[in-house]
Structures are given as structure tokens and as C-alpha cells.
Amino acid sequence: MEFQDKTLTCVDCGAPFVWTAGEQLFFADKNFKNEPKRCKNCKAKRQGFSGGGFSKTETMTTCSQCGRETTVPFKPTQGRPVYCRECFLSRKATGMAAAGNR
């Protein structure tokens, strides 16, 4: 598959940015399904890169089980489910009960 540079629009600042053929190849190699949504500046701001030390990441996402908006203390991995606190604890309790029945 041959990739060509593509112009996308940043969801945060509305500015156009180029998603290069090389970046698209990288995404394809990693099996990432979604195109980037933010330009490099907005992505860096969102991830908290201030040039200083460590900063805790809080990410807004949607629970894979109930569909509610939630925040998680990590950056979700693409293709893996993310749960809100209630669903996570519910699944954890269910998993522990099932393990006890073995």
C-alpha cells in the first residue's frame, strides 16, 4: 500500500496539519486504526509536555462497557478496552468470584 501526505484538521485549534506518508506507514505498521486528531503542538499540550519533570496524565475517554464519559489516570492503548471506575470494580469483583470457583 502506498501512502501520500494528507492534510487533516486539528480538533482542538482547528488548524490544518499534514499527516505524512511516513507517519501513515508507522500507524499501519502498529495497526493503529484511527487518524491523528491533533496537530503536534496541541498533542504536546494535551500530554502535558512542559519541558519539566514528570506530570501525571489524566485522559478523558468513554467506558467500553457502559458508554459513560470518564477520566482515567493513564493514556489508553489503542484497541484495548477502558472502563470507568464502577465498571472496572464490577469486572474485578466478577473475575475474583469466578477465580474462587475453580
Side-chain angles (χ1 to χ4, degrees):
M1 179 184 243
E2 190 169 321
F3 297 101
Q4 295 181 353
D5 288 358
K6 190 175 188 179
T7 302
L8 303 175
T9 303
C10 179
V11 296
D12 287 346
C13 70
F17 65 97
V18 176
W19 189 29
T20 67
E23 290 168 332
Q24 292 174 52
L25 178 60
F26 174 80
F27 272 53
D29 287 345
K30 296 289 184 181
N31 277 335
F32 294 159
K33 305 288 184 222
N34 301 320
E35 296 179 344
K37 296 179 183 177
R38 293 175 179 81
C39 65
K40 290 191 189 322
N41 287 338
C42 289
K43 182 178 177 186
K45 284 181 201 169
R46 183 175 170 87
Q47 291 176 338
F49 293 128
S50 58
F54 176 79
S55 66
K56 184 177 176 185
T57 302
E58 283 260 340
T59 306
M60 283 293 292
T61 189
T62 303
C63 176
S64 298
Q65 187 168 325
C66 70
R68 282 188 303 193
E69 285 271 326
T70 187
T71 56
V72 291
F74 58 90
K75 185 172 182 194
T77 303
Q78 195 164 6
R80 306 256 337 242
V82 178
Y83 303 104
C84 66
R85 181 167 179 75
E86 292 79 14
C87 291
F88 176 80
L89 293 174
S90 161
R91 290 177 60 83
K92 187 175 177 183
T94 304
M96 291 175 85
N101 291 334
R102 288 184 191 173

